[in-house]
Amino acid sequence: INAEYGICFLLEDTLFYWSHRLLHHPWFYKRFHKQHHEFKITIAFAFAYAHPVDIIFTNYIPSLIGVYLLGVHHLTLLLWLCMRVQETMEAHCGYEFPYSPWNICHAIQGGAARHDFHHTHNVGNYGSFTTFWDRIMKTDTHWTQYKATQAARKKQNKER
């Protein structure tokens, strides 16, 4: 089961990144992805508020391709989908749960704040489970600059 989850995880993370990034191309964005970005301040159920084409290409295909290619057991499928839905709801909830498995290492996953930035600034941070593709493709530079600015302001305020 661990190997199956690992393969599903890698496939989902890769396919989600590239399909999500494609949906931010102006032609696709205005037709299919803009609806999802009506939520500037994210709430958990915003993950499901999307055009059907958006749902198919950024949720169904990335989430399900691994389980179908591997032919996993129905219980494995159920557990995988529960984990997937929980992660995406948490990414959209606008709150960093301190004991969440998705919040343990921001260098790998990024947390809800990262996805909030994506919705409020509508730039970069296209990844799903990990920050891997955003880092490799340099689509997290606005986020990195934003975090550096926030840290500098916090330091400046402490010195006052």
Side-chain angles (χ1 to χ4, degrees), residues 50-146:
H51 187 281
V53 170
D54 188 345
I55 291 172
I56 290 167
F57 285 98
T58 61
N59 292 325
Y60 291 171
I61 292 173
S63 295
L64 296 174
I65 197 161
V67 296
Y68 285 114
L69 289 175
L70 297 171
V72 301
H73 188 274
H74 294 341
L75 183 57
T76 303
L77 171 62
L78 177 65
L79 292 173
W80 167 254
L81 290 177
C82 286
M83 180 179 70
R84 182 70 199 104
V85 169
Q86 187 275 332
E87 185 278 331
T88 194
M89 287 181 72
E90 191 173 312
H92 285 89
C93 80
Y95 180 75
E96 299 278 347
F97 293 100
Y99 301 107
S100 167
W102 312 116
N103 206 14
I104 292 171
C105 183
H106 282 250
I108 295 170
Q109 201 279 335
R114 183 180 178 85
H115 200 70
D116 283 351
F117 179 85
H118 172 78
H119 274 262
T120 57
H121 293 76
N122 201 18
V123 63
N125 294 354
Y126 303 118
S128 174
F129 280 119
T130 73
T131 60
F132 175 78
W133 287 108
D134 280 308
R135 287 175 186 243
I136 296 295
M137 302 310 296
K138 307 267 190 254
T139 51
D140 64 350
T141 54
H142 290 92
W143 166 249
T144 304
Q145 291 169 355
Y146 172 79

